[in-house]
Amino acid sequence: MAPIPKISEPICLIENPGDKPSSVNEEAKKVLENISQPLVVVSIVGPYRSGKSYLLNKLSGESEGGFSLGHTLSANTKGIWMQCIPHPKKSGHTLILLDTEGIGDVGKANQQNDCMILSLAMLMSSAVIYNSKATIDQDAVKKLYTMTGVHRFITETVSKQNDQDVQTDDDHMLPLLVWTLRDATLKLEINGRPATADEYLENSLKDITPVKTPRTQEQNRARETIRNFFPKRKCFVFDFPSSDKEILGTMDHVSETKLQSTFVEETKVFYEFILREVPPKRLKGGAVVTGSRFAHLLQSYIDVVKRQDIVFLESSMSDMFTNENRKVMNRSTEVYGNKMSTQNVNSHQEFQQIHEAAVEEAVQGFNKLYIKHEKSQEEYRDELMADLLKKKDEIWKMCEDSSLQRCNDVLGQLKSKLDRNLKENKYHVPGGHEAFITDKNLIIQEYTQTRDKGVKAEDLLKEFLSSLEVIEKVILKTDQDMSATKSKIYKVTDRFDTEQLTNYIKSYQLPHESFNRVLIQLFGFAGHGKSSFVNSCLFALSSNSFNDFAGEATSQGGKTIDRRGYKLTNSITIVDNRGLSKMDSAEEWEIYAQLCNCVPLDEIVLWDKSQEERLSLVTRRAQEKRSDVIVPVLIYSSQQSLSGEDFNNIKEFLIQAKILTRILPFIVLTKSNVANKSSLKDKFFAMGMENVYCLENYIVSDRLALRSKHLNILTILYDILESVNFHTKTRSDFQNQRQDWLSFLMMKAGTMQ
């Protein structure tokens, strides 16, 4: 509940200037608008100078700054004044005290004001205190009757039957009447027996019997009207507060010890009754009145009294209830929207389940706050359901849009490799369909495992797979056509026929399916022609013009500082390893790491890794599963002599390479147009090498295609493949060598500085 706005003293609520129509004080209205608590509204009416303000000040607990008492003969309170305080007895409620201008002021130009003020007090209040003096006589009853200007249409609305004990909804609008009889000197007796104050009041409101004259009939009508309009009644009789006139003029400022003890005790009983028994103000249908509702109805109360037509009030109440119920519906819709928007859903079924739970919560919230009036709760619920379904459609659209964005992002990342391969026609080769299916299934698997893709995940995957159907058919047809051509076995019957050699190399397949590819590993000192040999092999196997794919070395030495792989065919990859500067202990480990395929392709090779880095690299590679057939090839320039330390280091490397790969290394002597090539060949033969070739590479400055050059290059590749065929057919433990590689590298990493 919102706190009660602090006001230091009573404030005018209804301004009644006399010469102008009554109006609502906007400042007081703003105070009420900020009160969300239920109101207990107590108003006091009666003749001026009858002590009304004193009783209200007792209820508010104010001894200073309360309602003005005044002590002159002119009425001091004009219009209706209001004081707001937290209810002393009802937690979470606000007590509104209304002090009205005194009736019967001879200074008033228009005595109809008395009727208007009393009528307003009746409409606004939970309880009306009618303050009169001395006795309840016919004159006092007549004044109360004539001032109830709204009694005609109120009593018609209530339409209570004398024999009905059941309270109707409209009874909530009728205030409690508390008749306070001040300065009473009479002895409370009825027909000579003692009577209570309540019995005295009821006796005063009984019909006069027998009815004999129009006058007595009118008197009975007044009594009946009061009884019907105030079905709940209470009476308090107060003795004189004091016989001292000075004290009577300043009662709020004197101690209770100076007042008559009977008056003080009667005041306490009155105070306790009002705070304990007066209920919260309610409207038609039983809806409790809050400060904001009270502020909304103030002008309607004035209009009702002016026009003597309750339709104005009922219409205003209907508008207010409609607006408040609409606010409740909006809050329920907002609760639904917040609950739905914060959920991550991945299917329509899941969305529907959350929707149903959220609807139930929203409807329950509406049912708790719904305000009953002429429009049924079912009608509002139907409107609420329409709002919720509209909100559901909006949120579903948001879920779809968000999911589409998320799924497109995920799928875009996963299919980038497939898109690139399609663009480069890498699936339009023998075996391409199987590779395509593998890549496609990997996308599906990773896409399915990705969480929180939203409600469009399945639909988008279906669209993606549908978009691949035509492409897949084309790849399958191409694969079948090329495989039919490839299934033709190419044989080399003439080693000098370049076409036969080319067809054999391009169609080459490893003898066993357990092997992925042939890895031709090139080693040698920087600037000896490894990169040029790669370019020459690519040129010899293609029908295109020469290209410097590998990056030809300059006169200052080799350019390659990383380990690069070049695909000659689907089954053969040639690797340009980083060139050596000196085969010392720092370079040695990296040479063997490249040889054993432990260093990833297309990464920079550094000679100065720490021992921990080398061990970590071996450990990571140990987790991978590879089945490549490695063929070591040493590239050495014929322009360089081979002796001393280099001779011993190369010999040791070639012997170790044979042990690790199970294949005798190949030696390619580049720039072989020099005279010392024969002696160089002899040195390699002396090391135990059998496959030694002399070759003049294609280079950028000498790219003219010659049959002799092509034949030399193709012959080397052909002999490499024949060596692979021999070793893979005769050795059953070929794949187990991988563990030997890793053990060797671990040992080397532990012994090298």
Side-chain angles (χ1 to χ4, degrees):
M1 294 290 185
I4 301 171
K6 183 174 179 58
I7 52 177
S8 58
E9 58 185 14
I11 185 173
C12 182
L13 178 63
I14 304 296
E15 297 174 341
N16 185 34
D19 56 340
K20 297 179 181 178
S22 298
S23 62
V24 179
N25 181 2
E26 290 300 321
E27 183 180 355
K29 184 178 179 181
K30 289 179 181 178
V31 172
L32 290 169
E33 286 174 343
N34 290 317
I35 301 176
S36 59
Q37 293 181 341
L39 302 184
V40 176
V41 185
V42 177
S43 62
I44 190 164
V45 297
Y48 75 101
R49 295 291 163 264
S50 60
K52 303 189 305 298
S53 299
Y54 175 81
L55 291 180
L56 288 184
N57 287 337
K58 283 299 179 184
L59 290 174
S60 67
E62 295 286 351
S63 59
E64 297 289 342
F67 292 100
S68 175
L69 293 180
H71 56 276
T72 63
L73 292 179
S74 62
N76 203 47
T77 302
K78 295 295 183 182
I80 299 178
W81 288 68
M82 172 185 76
Q83 177 67 298
C84 307
I85 62 171
H87 198 290
K89 301 289 186 181
K90 301 182 190 304
S91 177
H93 289 64
T94 297
L95 178 62
I96 302 291
L97 301 174
L98 301 179
D99 190 11
T100 63
E101 63 180 80
I103 60 177
D105 184 0
V106 295
K108 289 183 182 179
N110 183 3
Q111 294 297 319
Q112 290 298 319
N113 277 340
D114 289 347
C115 293
M116 185 202 72
I117 292 299
L118 183 57
S119 297
L120 283 174
M122 291 178 182
L123 286 172
M124 292 190 293
S125 303
S126 311
V128 175
I129 302 172
Y130 181 58
N131 199 53
S132 65
K133 286 195 173 187
T135 62
I136 301 177
D137 54 16
Q138 180 57 37
D139 183 60
V141 172
K142 182 178 180 181
K143 285 181 179 179
L144 178 59
Y145 168 70
T146 56
M147 288 185 297
T148 55
V150 293
H151 74 276
R152 287 185 294 275
F153 55 87
I154 291 291
T155 52
E156 290 173 3
T157 302
V158 176
S159 63
K160 282 178 59 103
Q161 301 297 325
N162 291 333
D163 58 348
Q164 282 186 326
D165 296 325
V166 180
Q167 187 184 47
T168 68
D169 286 342
D170 295 312
D171 286 334
H172 292 299
M173 299 177 64
L174 301 177
L176 165 68
L177 173 64
V178 179
W179 198 312
T180 52
L181 191 60
R182 306 291 295 278
D183 303 341
T185 57
L186 76 165
K187 194 174 183 179
L188 292 181
E189 290 183 348
I190 300 176
N191 297 327
R193 65 174 181 82
T196 65
D198 290 340
E199 290 172 339
Y200 174 69
L201 173 62
E202 295 305 314
N203 186 67
S204 300
L205 296 179
K206 286 196 321 182
D207 288 350
I208 299 173
T209 57
V211 178
K212 297 180 179 179
T213 65
R215 182 170 178 270
T216 55
Q217 186 176 5
E218 180 63 25
Q219 292 174 344
N220 283 342
R221 184 181 300 112
R223 286 168 166 75
E224 181 182 9
T225 298
I226 294 172
R227 293 197 307 269
N228 287 339
F229 187 67
F230 298 108
K232 296 179 182 179
R233 300 176 290 276
K234 181 68 177 176
C235 183
F236 290 93
V237 177
F238 295 88
D239 198 354
F240 277 97
S242 174
S243 58
D244 189 332
K245 291 184 179 180
E246 291 186 7
I247 292 177
L248 292 177
T250 58
M251 285 179 59
D252 269 352
H253 303 287
V254 300
S255 170
E256 289 185 348
T257 57
K258 295 184 179 181
L259 301 177
Q260 294 283 356
S261 60
T262 54
F263 176 81
V264 172
E265 184 60 31
E266 289 159 357
T267 302
K268 289 180 179 179
V269 174
F270 163 80
Y271 169 86
E272 289 295 330
F273 174 84
I274 294 297
L275 297 184
R276 185 180 65 252
E277 299 297 334
V278 176
K281 170 68 176 172
R282 294 185 180 275
L283 300 176
K284 184 177 181 181
V288 69
V289 174
T290 61
S292 56
R293 291 175 185 170
F294 195 65
H296 178 90
L297 293 173
L298 286 175
Q299 188 59 48
S300 299
Y301 287 142
I302 294 175
D303 292 339
V304 168
V305 173
K306 286 180 180 178
R307 299 172 181 270
Q308 297 285 291
D309 189 350
I310 201 169
V311 171
F312 287 94
L313 178 59
E314 292 181 340
S315 175
S316 181
M317 288 170 56
S318 178
D319 290 343
M320 180 183 69
F321 290 151
T322 299
N323 291 336
E324 292 203 18
N325 282 331
R326 169 48 63 182
K327 291 179 181 178
V328 173
M329 291 166 61
N330 291 341
R331 283 198 296 269
S332 297
T333 303
E334 184 178 354
V335 168
Y336 169 87
N338 291 337
K339 186 176 183 65
M340 294 294 294
S341 299
T342 55
Q343 302 293 321
N344 291 323
V345 294
N346 294 295
S347 68
H348 187 273
Q349 180 180 3
E350 187 179 351
F351 180 84
Q352 184 65 25
Q353 291 173 346
I354 297 175
H355 159 73
E356 292 172 0
V359 165
E360 183 177 356
E361 182 178 338
V363 171
Q364 287 177 354
F366 171 77
N367 289 341
K368 290 179 182 179
L369 299 176
Y370 162 76
I371 305 169
K372 180 181 178 182
H373 70 118
E374 69 272 8
K375 189 172 180 178
S376 70
Q377 189 171 2
E378 288 72 20
E379 291 178 279
Y380 278 113
R381 236 186 337 250
D382 290 343
E383 292 183 19
L384 174 61
M385 286 304 302
D387 291 345
L388 295 179
L389 291 177
K390 181 180 179 181
K391 193 69 176 179
K392 173 189 176 185
D393 292 340
E394 293 175 0
I395 295 175
W396 175 253
K397 182 63 168 59
M398 292 170 58
C399 288
E400 287 185 318
D401 293 343
S402 175
S403 177
L404 283 173
Q405 180 65 44
R406 166 72 171 148
C407 292
N408 278 320
D409 290 344
V410 171
L411 202 54
Q413 294 177 0
L414 295 178
K415 70 186 185 73
S416 58
K417 176 184 175 182
L418 183 137
D419 289 340
R420 185 170 61 253
N421 289 344
L422 286 171
K423 185 177 181 181
E424 296 174 0
N425 292 323
K426 290 188 176 182
Y427 298 119
H428 294 78
V429 294
H433 182 257
E434 182 179 353
F436 175 81
I437 294 299
T438 300
D439 290 345
K440 182 183 76 170
N441 289 339
L442 181 61
I443 292 172
I444 295 173
Q445 178 184 354
E446 293 182 355
Y447 179 83
T448 303
Q449 292 174 350
T450 302
R451 299 174 60 85
D452 299 328
K453 297 187 297 296
V455 297
K456 297 298 288 182
E458 187 175 344
D459 292 342
L460 201 67
L461 180 60
K462 289 180 179 179
E463 291 178 10
F464 168 67
L465 295 179
S466 177
S467 70
L468 295 180
E469 290 178 356
V470 174
I471 298 173
E472 184 175 342
K473 290 178 181 179
V474 173
I475 292 174
L476 177 60
K477 181 66 168 59
T478 302
D479 189 358
Q480 290 172 341
D481 293 343
M482 296 183 72
S483 296
T485 302
K486 182 182 175 182
S487 63
K488 180 180 178 180
I489 300 175
Y490 288 97
K491 294 183 179 180
V492 177
T493 59
D494 184 357
R495 289 175 58 90
F496 297 96
D497 188 335
T498 57
E499 185 177 355
Q500 286 188 26
L501 292 172
T502 301
N503 288 336
Y504 176 81
I505 295 168
K506 285 185 174 181
S507 63
Y508 179 81
Q509 292 290 310
L510 282 160
H512 297 289
E513 293 182 355
S514 57
F515 300 114
N516 286 335
R517 60 185 172 178
V518 175
L519 214 60
I520 302 175
Q521 295 256 42
L522 305 185
F523 295 92
F525 292 102
H528 278 232
K530 295 193 310 309
S531 299
S532 296
F533 182 69
V534 171
N535 289 335
S536 298
C537 291
L538 291 169
F539 183 35
L541 288 174
S542 71
S543 57
N544 300 323
S545 59
F546 176 83
N547 285 286
D548 184 18
F549 291 110
E552 184 180 303
T554 65
S555 60
Q556 285 76 26
K559 294 169 60 178
T560 305
I561 63 171
D562 52 3
R563 183 171 183 257
R564 300 179 186 174
Y566 300 90
K567 193 172 183 179
L568 297 181
T569 70
N570 286 333
S571 301
I572 307 169
T573 296
I574 187 168
V575 180
D576 185 4
N577 291 299
R578 180 175 181 179
L580 309 173
S581 58
K582 184 178 180 182
M583 190 177 287
D584 56 13
S585 59
E587 293 184 0
E588 182 184 0
W589 191 90
E590 294 296 336
I591 294 170
Y592 287 120
Q594 293 178 95
L595 174 68
C596 297
N597 204 25
C598 191
V599 179
L601 290 176
D602 303 318
E603 288 191 10
I604 294 176
V605 177
L606 302 176
W607 303 125
D608 56 352
K609 289 189 181 73
S610 66
Q611 182 180 12
E612 290 74 14
E613 289 174 322
R614 289 170 175 171
L615 292 174
S616 175
L617 178 62
V618 174
T619 302
R620 289 200 307 271
R621 300 297 278 186
Q623 306 303 318
E624 301 178 6
K625 294 183 179 180
R626 292 182 177 273
S627 54
D628 296 330
V629 180
I630 294 178
V631 181
V633 177
L634 178 69
I635 306 295
Y636 199 87
S637 172
S638 297
Q639 295 179 353
Q640 302 294 325
S641 61
L642 180 61
S643 61
E645 186 178 357
D646 286 345
F647 178 89
N648 293 329
N649 287 338
I650 290 176
K651 180 179 179 180
E652 181 183 353
F653 168 74
L654 294 174
I655 293 173
Q656 190 63 55
K658 175 185 175 182
I659 295 172
L660 291 171
T661 64
R662 275 75 158 178
I663 294 178
L664 190 65
F666 284 71
I667 310 299
V668 177
L669 303 177
T670 61
K671 306 176 184 179
S672 59
N673 57 352
V674 297
N676 64 350
K677 63 181 180 181
S678 296
S679 61
L680 193 57
K681 288 179 65 175
D682 291 340
K683 288 185 179 182
F684 281 104
F685 285 140
M687 293 179 190
M689 301 297 106
E690 298 176 359
N691 305 307
V692 182
Y693 303 85
C694 294
L695 176 68
E696 186 70 28
N697 279 323
Y698 287 107
I699 57 178
V700 175
S701 60
D702 184 10
R703 62 178 68 188
L704 180 63
L706 298 175
R707 181 183 179 281
S708 59
K709 283 188 178 183
H710 266 52
L711 181 60
N712 286 341
I713 296 167
L714 295 172
T715 298
I716 294 172
L717 295 175
Y718 174 76
D719 288 345
I720 288 174
L721 297 179
E722 286 295 284
S723 179
V724 170
N725 290 338
F726 173 78
H727 286 285
T728 54
K729 288 179 180 178
T730 59
R731 298 191 64 89
S732 59
D733 63 339
F734 198 76
Q735 293 185 73
N736 296 331
Q737 66 181 335
R738 182 168 173 275
Q739 188 58 45
D740 296 338
W741 298 346
L742 299 177
S743 298
F744 173 79
L745 291 174
M746 293 287 282
M747 181 272 295
K748 281 287 187 181
T751 58
M752 292 179 176
Q753 297 299 322

